[in-house]
Amino acid sequence: MNRDYPASAGRSAGLKTRFRDFFGKHFHAGRGGRAKLAISTSFFARVVTTAVSFVILPITVRYLGNEGYGLMATITAVVGWLQFTNMGIGLGLQNALTEETAKANVTAQKELVSTAIFSLAGIGILLVIAGLIVFPHVEWQRVFPPTTSRFTAEIPWTVLVVFLGFVSTVVLGFIGPIYAARLELHVANIQTLVTSLLTLLGTFIAVHNRWGLFGVVLCTIGVTAVMQ
């Protein structure tokens, strides 16, 4: 046993060295290494996200039924139509920030990010104010008419959660462009991966505790907003 231990330890150390050399060669701090890291993490995140979606879909449909799942998909899609409200600020930030990052102009980078943050925050505040004004005066059961009474009471709260999740996406729209400009997209990909896993966990919890349509949406869209 004493003779085998040094040999196994040596093989383990050699394997660690080869792994370290491989990752150091392909995923270094340079532009090429970061690009490879972004592509690799993106592929892995997409595979996991797709697998999670295939698991969540039958669970959600089985619990909510065709009506409940249809309401959730419809409400999410309709609110998602407002996505134009960031007016291209994120893309504009990414292009300008990439240029200033290449120049190593830290002052200009701070100015660009600050401008984007305040602009998106202003848009978010306007959206929240508009929502607070409009929300109480809309009969959401007529906008999204259910066929049964099971989800009638939950529809307004579901719309509210989806809307607030959308607002958070708009307000935090500066984060992705910063990752892209600084060649740190692997961080965003890791976030996507973790969000998918937490969404799966949240769905299991909502279904197990029978929290209804509102609970399922809160544990999916709500988790995404918190992760952002």
Side-chain angles (χ1 to χ4, degrees):
M1 292 179 62
N2 292 334
R3 293 178 180 178
D4 294 339
Y5 178 74
S8 61
R11 287 194 296 270
S12 177
L15 186 61
K16 290 180 180 179
T17 301
R18 286 194 293 270
F19 272 113
R20 185 170 59 250
D21 292 341
F22 174 82
F23 283 102
K25 178 181 178 180
H26 294 282
F27 303 117
H28 51 80
R31 296 178 65 87
R34 292 189 179 191
K36 292 178 182 178
L37 184 59
I39 294 171
S40 301
T41 53
S42 175
F43 173 77
F44 188 65
R46 287 179 181 272
V47 170
V48 173
T49 301
T50 302
V52 167
S53 298
F54 276 112
V55 174
I56 287 179
L57 181 60
I59 295 174
T60 307
V61 173
R62 189 179 303 114
Y63 172 59
L64 296 178
N66 293 335
E67 178 191 13
Y69 185 80
L71 283 170
M72 184 175 72
T74 303
I75 292 171
T76 303
V78 170
V79 175
W81 291 344
L82 300 173
Q83 196 65 41
F84 70 90
T85 49
N86 63 13
M87 296 181 292
I89 293 176
L91 182 59
L93 171 64
Q94 179 176 330
N95 294 335
L97 190 59
T98 300
E99 181 178 352
E100 298 302 333
T101 301
K103 296 177 181 178
N105 190 339
V106 177
T107 301
Q109 293 175 45
K110 291 181 178 180
E111 292 175 351
L112 288 169
V113 172
S114 298
T115 301
I117 289 175
F118 283 108
S119 299
L120 292 172
I123 293 173
I125 291 172
L126 290 176
L127 286 172
V128 170
I129 293 174
L132 291 175
I133 294 174
V134 172
F135 191 86
H137 302 288
V138 177
E139 295 186 28
W140 296 106
Q141 290 85 353
R142 290 190 176 184
V143 178
F144 304 103
T147 56
T148 65
S149 60
R150 178 183 175 186
F151 303 106
T152 301
E154 298 181 71
I155 290 177
W157 296 106
T158 302
V159 174
L160 180 62
V161 170
V162 175
F163 176 72
L164 292 178
F166 159 73
V167 172
S168 71
T169 301
V170 172
V171 173
L172 300 175
F174 63 92
I175 297 177
I178 293 177
Y179 287 146
R182 295 177 58 86
L183 297 177
E184 296 176 347
L185 284 172
H186 60 281
V187 179
N189 294 332
I190 293 172
Q191 173 188 313
T192 300
L193 174 62
V194 174
T195 301
S196 298
L197 296 176
L198 289 178
T199 299
L200 177 61
L201 177 62
T203 302
F204 278 124
I205 293 174
V207 171
H208 180 266
N209 293 296
R210 306 193 67 81
W211 287 345
L213 174 62
F214 172 75
V216 172
V217 171
L218 184 63
C219 290
T220 52
I221 295 177
V223 165
T224 302
V226 171
M227 282 302 299
Q228 287 180 324

